[in-house]
Amino acid sequence: MNKTVNINLAGLFFHIDEDAYLKLQRYLEAIKRSFTDSQGRSEIIADIEARIAELFNERIQNNKQVIRIKEVDEIISIMGQPEDYLVDDEIFEDEPQPSYKSKLKASKKLFRDTDNSYIGGVSSGLGHYFGIDAIWIRLAWIILILGAGTGILLYILLWILVPEAKTTAEKLMMTGDPVNISNIEKKIKDGFENVSETVTDVAKNVSDSVGTAAKNVSDSVSKATKNVDFKKQGNSIKSSSKTFFDAIGDIFMFFFKIFAKFIGIFLIIIGASTLIALIVAMISVGVGGIIPGLDLVDIVNAGNTPVWLVSLLVFFAIGIPFFFIFYLGLKILVNNLKSIGSIAKFTLLGVWLISIIGLIIVGIRQASEHAYDESVIDKKELAITAQDTLKIKMLGNDLFRKKIGHSSSFKLAHNIDGQKTIYSSDITVIVKSTSDSLASLSIEKSADGRSYEKARERAQNINYNYELKNGTLFLDSYFTTDPKNKFNDQEMVLVLYLPEGTVVNCHDNTKTFFPYRNYYGTIITYKDTNHYLKVKEDSVECLDCPVEEPRKELKIDVDVKGEDSSLKINNKGVEVKVDSAKLKINNTGIKAKNEDVKVNIDSDGIEIKSDS
């Protein structure tokens, strides 16, 4: 059991093993001793600590993970030991110097180079990234802007989306140099030398123009540059010389950040509300009885998959993507939000894939319950002859449904004994003529199943009643079955065979149970109800339907003649003559002709003749 230490490195909080902490402390102290007399010592050490903190942050999976000696050794191997290279000004001389090469190959990252920028540093950053001179990138922008104008929008997008290289480590990554102590020191010293040379050049120019007096000023300035805080002065100069384009960039970034915050809030609301709804639904289904109508779900669950398992699979299949939407919204709002770690991400991905596969299996299992559609037929004779008059009426049940009418849906109800039962009105009534002396009723029950036997068993378990009493056939407008049979597209077809000559009257409440057209060979449709009909061979004769009066033929007779033309209209058709041309239209077709052409259009087609 080892003791742990909490440290704050470059503004980031870490848990570190005591032995690892001591080794890291000795390493940092050695680096500080190496830069005792170096220019910009504090800036170099600050950038080194920031880089070490960044490397530590990449290696930990969560905020409770402890940094061990292994991680410290990895960081030291990347950053290098102080004794591996020179740390004084000799490193910048032309003589070859021993240098430390990182074991890891440095990779470039895209940043905006504002140190060499005209507007926002996009072109210079792209030049570093692709290894070409920035002037060619700038020429490409000019061509895009002058050509189609799309360059402006693209430049603005890159200006907003590509980060600026602010720290020394980011500037090294921008150029593809390894981010180690040697390069950090060299980069900072280069910056100080550039400032020192600039100030010295200015002083020299002043000295040449004003003489000896100015030379003294130059000497003073040159000496001052060795002691002045160049980082502070450089920031002061940069702040005072901020360009117009920098201000425009800040405005764009301001509005972009506001827009991003709104997007983040929107994603958080969507993700959180969906997750809460899924959690409530899953708990309700798991407890059972909380959600009304949950027993209906169990009835259609022909595959007998546990409802709690389906709800759990649905929760993960939908909830995990919305969790990442919620997490993305948090990442947009909170800049330094801790990552959930690769292990958690891959675990959630695996659970999501398992849930999707599970739902597919459940769906296939449910679909297989409809693989077979089988039926059973029960046919019984009725004491109805060709000389009888039969009335047909549907009966309802107040316990199930008061309104009588055809419906393909189902309902869970309680019978007179208080037991649950599946109730449906998916019944179709068909009437056909027969040459037999007695009428008969064929009851065809059908259902689906994963096998022939299962489908037939479900069909046989359908309960249906009818009664013939005093010349009236009372048919139940519903059928029932036990909930254990599940609802699997159970339906019924009643085929009533009536002897030729029988008179039948169908009550008005039977209308919705008859087909709308002559389907299944029925001789009675919904429009024939509430009439007395006499059964004939494959048809019926309405005995009380209103008799339509014969249509009176309208006689048309128009005959108009002129000097060169004539018009004749009568019941035979229309005939027009103009000079030598003639047009005739009647029930056989259209005929037209003149001196040169004849046209005949009838049921056989089009015929055209000409003298040529």
Side-chain angles (χ1 to χ4, degrees), residues 55-118:
L55 293 173
F56 276 150
N57 203 37
E58 291 176 356
R59 281 160 174 74
I60 61 176
Q61 304 297 327
N62 53 70
N63 55 7
K64 294 183 179 180
Q65 183 174 338
V66 177
I67 297 173
R68 301 163 299 172
I69 291 182
K70 177 184 175 183
E71 284 79 19
V72 174
D73 289 338
E74 290 178 0
I75 302 306
I76 293 175
S77 68
I78 294 173
M79 299 298 294
Q81 294 285 352
E83 61 268 16
D84 291 334
Y85 44 79
L86 298 177
V87 294
D88 52 17
D89 292 340
E90 293 178 358
I91 196 172
F92 302 105
E93 295 179 357
D94 295 335
E95 292 81 359
Q97 302 292 340
S99 60
Y100 175 81
K101 295 183 179 180
S102 175
K103 295 180 181 179
L104 297 177
K105 185 179 179 181
S107 60
K108 290 183 181 181
K109 292 186 178 181
L110 182 58
F111 291 95
R112 288 187 294 112
D113 184 8
T114 55
D115 294 335
N116 302 293
S117 66
Y118 285 101

Side-chain angles (χ1 to χ4, degrees), residues 289-298:
I290 297 179
I291 298 179
L294 189 61
D295 45 1
L296 296 178
V297 178
D298 184 61

Side-chain angles (χ1 to χ4, degrees), residues 171-343:
K171 292 178 181 179
L172 289 172
M173 286 188 288
M174 178 177 64
T175 57
D177 296 324
V179 185
N180 51 36
I181 300 174
S182 177
N183 287 333
I184 290 174
E185 179 199 13
K186 186 177 183 301
K187 190 71 175 177
I188 293 177
K189 283 191 173 183
D190 284 342
F192 283 122
E193 284 194 351
N194 291 335
V195 175
S196 179
E197 289 174 1
T198 302
V199 177
T200 302
D201 290 341
V202 172
K204 185 177 180 181
N205 292 333
V206 174
S207 175
D208 292 339
S209 61
V210 300
T212 305
K215 187 175 183 300
N216 295 331
V217 176
S218 175
D219 293 337
S220 300
V221 172
S222 297
K223 293 178 181 179
T225 58
K226 295 181 179 180
N227 300 320
V228 72
D229 188 345
F230 288 104
K231 183 73 174 178
K232 182 177 180 180
Q233 296 298 325
N235 290 336
S236 177
I237 294 171
K238 182 178 179 181
S239 176
S240 61
S241 60
K242 192 171 184 180
T243 63
F244 169 76
F245 290 109
D246 293 329
I248 295 296
D250 291 340
I251 293 174
F252 275 117
M253 288 300 298
F254 174 75
F255 284 106
F256 177 76
K257 288 179 180 178
I258 292 177
F259 177 73
K261 298 299 182 185
F262 276 111
I263 294 296
I265 293 173
F266 176 75
L267 293 178
I268 289 175
I269 293 174
I270 293 297
S273 59
T274 304
L275 288 173
I276 292 172
L278 288 172
I279 291 172
V280 172
M282 186 184 67
I283 294 175
S284 301
V285 172
V287 174
I290 297 179
I291 298 179
L294 189 61
D295 45 1
L296 296 178
V297 178
D298 184 61
I299 289 177
V300 297
N301 181 20
N304 287 322
T305 305
V307 178
W308 65 266
L309 177 60
V310 176
S311 64
L312 193 63
L313 294 175
V314 172
F315 173 77
F316 285 123
I318 300 176
I320 290 177
F322 277 94
F323 167 76
F324 280 104
I325 291 175
F326 174 77
Y327 179 71
L328 177 60
L330 286 179
K331 291 282 285 185
I332 293 174
L333 289 180
V334 183
N335 295 328
N336 58 345
L337 183 67
K338 196 70 175 178
S339 174
I340 62 175
S342 300
I343 296 177

